[in-house]
Each structure stands twice: as C-alpha cells, then as structure tokens.
C-alpha cells in the first residue's frame, strides 16, 4: 500500500516507532491542537472530527505519554488507598467508590491492605509516597500518624476515612457510628426488649468503641441497666462470638435481643444462633450479602459505604486542586433497614409464682 493510501492522503506512522500525536494529526488530516483536545477530553471539536481522530488513534495504536504532563504539573495522576482488607465487602465497596472518583479526575488508584498492622500501614504509605502518588486515602491502623507529616508537607494530600488520624490534624470522613448504634438498639427496645446484648469488635478499634457507646446511650436513655454479662468486645472469631452468645443466653435472665457491632460479628453470631436453636431479636451494624434472604431477614444499620468512599475521594481532589483551609471532618449518616429479625417482639415476662 502506498503511503498515500491513508485518510487525508498522509503517510502512516512507521510500524517500528511509537505513534505520536503528530502522527495521529497527519493520519486524520487535522491540526495537532485538535488531536490534543480529543485526547484530553477538551471541548471545541465537532463530533465528526472527534470521531475521525479517535479512528486514527485506534488505527495507529496511539497511547498518550503522560511524562511531559507529569513534569509540567508536578503530579503523577495517581493516588493510593490503604485499607484493612480488600477481601472484606465493606472495603471492596469503598475502594470501588474511590476508584470511580479517581477515574473521573483522570487518576489511577493503587491499593494496599494493612491487615490492621500499624507497621504494614506505614510501609505501604511510604512506598506509595516514594512512587510519588499525588494523594493518599487511609483507613488507619496506626495510633501515630506523625510519620506522614513530612510527606504532607511535601505536598501529598491525605484524607483519612472510617477512622480519624492519630496525633495529627487531617481531613477525615466518618460514619455516624454512635448515632447508628443508638438507633439500632433503640429499635429493639421499642419492640419491648429490656435485656439487649452487645457483641462488638476489639475495644481498641475506633469504630467498635463508638458503636459500644451508642449501645449504652440507647440503654441509658430507656432507663435500662446493662449487665456485664451482656457485653463482649473482642476480635470477631468464631470461638469468641460463640462463647459470648452462650454466656448471654444462659441463666434465668438471658438476653432477648442482640446487637452486633459489624458484619463479620453478625455472620458469626447468626451461625451460632442456628446451631444453638436460639432466635433472639437481632440487629447488626453493617449490611451484608444475603441478609435479606434469610428467614427472617436480618435487620441492619447500614452504612453508606459508597458515599464514604466518594466523599473521601472528592475531598482529596479538592485539596489537589488547591483547596486550602483547616482540616475538614465529614460525617455520613446511617440507615436502619427493618427486615424482620429486629422486629421480633420481646417474649412475655414470666408470671410470678403464687
């Protein structure tokens, strides 16, 4: 084929060289600025011309080289996300929301899991910074984030989500953990339950502590006492949850309702309850897959995980765009979803013996 057998009568790019924007312009028969506008999603190009440019890009196999733009703007068009475990549905949903916003801003997302290990969190964060990400979104595991101060001073925007930073002042996006737990427990109390148990995660975890506070606030507001045997806060292993349930359901005054502090605790508790043949009223903090298909469906206090991730990413990109001012704290509301388990009425009080 002659070099003139191309649209516009211009020679094709050499198959041995990487096609350039100039090659695309020549192939499509348009100005270089027109190609630049199409590649960068800028206005000012008619639909038919834009289509011709995109066809030329596809035909030549052109790929934008961001090196010059990176040098010009001092940004790498990438951000890092550090979370606990990408395998947890909560974190995978949050990650997707962050990725969607990053894509809208022309950025790629790097993700790492800390496994609740402060040393691993620091290692991942500094590795991202060494690779010159423009910003970080962190679900913190550490109790000291001063190690990030030099990176923040160097211009790396940083937002914390789900939990606040420790020992530094930074932008934070949180769920209303206290209010959500308070609403869930009040829902059980409203069905006549007076002995409500609480199974939470480890007390050192920020969200676990706040949900425990919401539980106690709801009980206090109803004038109800809390027996120590009704409360367990520990890692949500099968053994821990099982032991807690057996204790709460034993004796002459077992709990008649249960509030679980996160989705993993809820799933473990439901498995044990089935094995024990027990069916207290039940509300869990966090929704989880198939919760609506059980019998009865599981009533939950649902976090707006997508909103958490999107709010954190939008705040990060506002900072990257030059937004200044004091650190912001954004709180996202929860939503109670009644499905049946939380609406079971309290059993009637036993009639006193005569």
């Amino acid at each position: 084929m002659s070099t003139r057998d191309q649209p516009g009568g211009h020679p094709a790019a050499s198959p041995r060289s990487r096609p350039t924007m100039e090659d695309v312009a020549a192939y499509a028969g348009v100005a270089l600025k027109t190609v630049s506008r199409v590649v960068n999603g800028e206005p000012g190009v008619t639909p038919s011309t834009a289509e011709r440019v995109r066809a030329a890009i596809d035909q030549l196999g052109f790929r934008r080289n961001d090196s010059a733009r990176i040098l010009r703007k001092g940004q790498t068009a990438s951000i890092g996300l550090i979370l606990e475990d990408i395998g947890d549905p909560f974190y995978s949903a949050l990650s997707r929301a962050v990725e969607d916003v990053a894509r809208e801003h022309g950025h790629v997302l790097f993700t790492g899991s800390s496994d609740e290990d402060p040393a691993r969190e620091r290692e991942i964060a500094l590795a991202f910074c060494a690779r010159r990400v423009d910003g970080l979104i962190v679900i913190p595991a550490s109790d000291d984030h001063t190690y990030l101060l030099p990176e923040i001073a160097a211009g790396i925007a940083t937002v914390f989500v789900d939990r606040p930073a420790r020992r530094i002042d930074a932008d934070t996006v949180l769920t209303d953990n206290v209010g959500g737990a308070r609403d869930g427990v009040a829902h059980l109390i409203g069905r006549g339950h007076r002995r409500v148990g609480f199974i939470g995660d480890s007390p050192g975890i920020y969200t676990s502590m706040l949900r425990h506070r919401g539980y106690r606030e709801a009980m206090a507001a109803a004038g109800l006492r809390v027996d120590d045997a009704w409360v367990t806060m520990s890692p949500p292993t099968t053994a821990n949850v099982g032991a807690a349930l057996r204790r709460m359901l034993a004796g002459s005054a077992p709990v008649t309702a249960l509030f679980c502090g996160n989705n993993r605790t809820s799933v473990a508790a439901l498995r044990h309850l089935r094995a024990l043949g027990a069916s207290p009223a039940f509300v869990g903090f966090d929704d989880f897959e198939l919760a609506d298909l059980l019998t009865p469906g599981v009533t939950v206090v649902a976090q707006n995980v997508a909103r958490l991730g999107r709010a954190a990413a939008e705040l990060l990109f506002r900072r990257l765009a030059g937004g200044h001012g004091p650190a912001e704290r954004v709180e996202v509301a929860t939503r109670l979803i009644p499905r049946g388990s939380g609406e079971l009425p309290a059993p009637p009080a036993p009639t006193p013996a005569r």
Side-chain angles (χ1 to χ4, degrees), residues 2 18 24 46 72 93 104 115 167 182 195 214 221 239 254 269 338 346 352:
S2 166
R18 179 174 179 173
V24 174
T46 64
R72 184 172 66 254
E104 291 167 10
D115 292 330
R167 301 186 64 187
R182 191 169 52 231
R195 299 190 301 275

Side-chain angles (χ1 to χ4, degrees), residues 37 105 141 181 202 221 311:
R37 285 174 174 159
H105 287 81
S202 302

Side-chain angles (χ1 to χ4, degrees), residues 220-259:
L224 301 175
R225 71 178 185 88
V226 174
D227 191 302
D228 289 344
W230 300 350
V231 176
T232 291
M233 298 185 70
S234 63
T237 64
T238 298
N240 287 345
V241 174
L245 283 173
R246 286 190 292 272
R247 184 179 67 253
M248 292 179 188
L249 296 171
S252 58
V255 298
T256 64
L258 187 66
F259 184 80

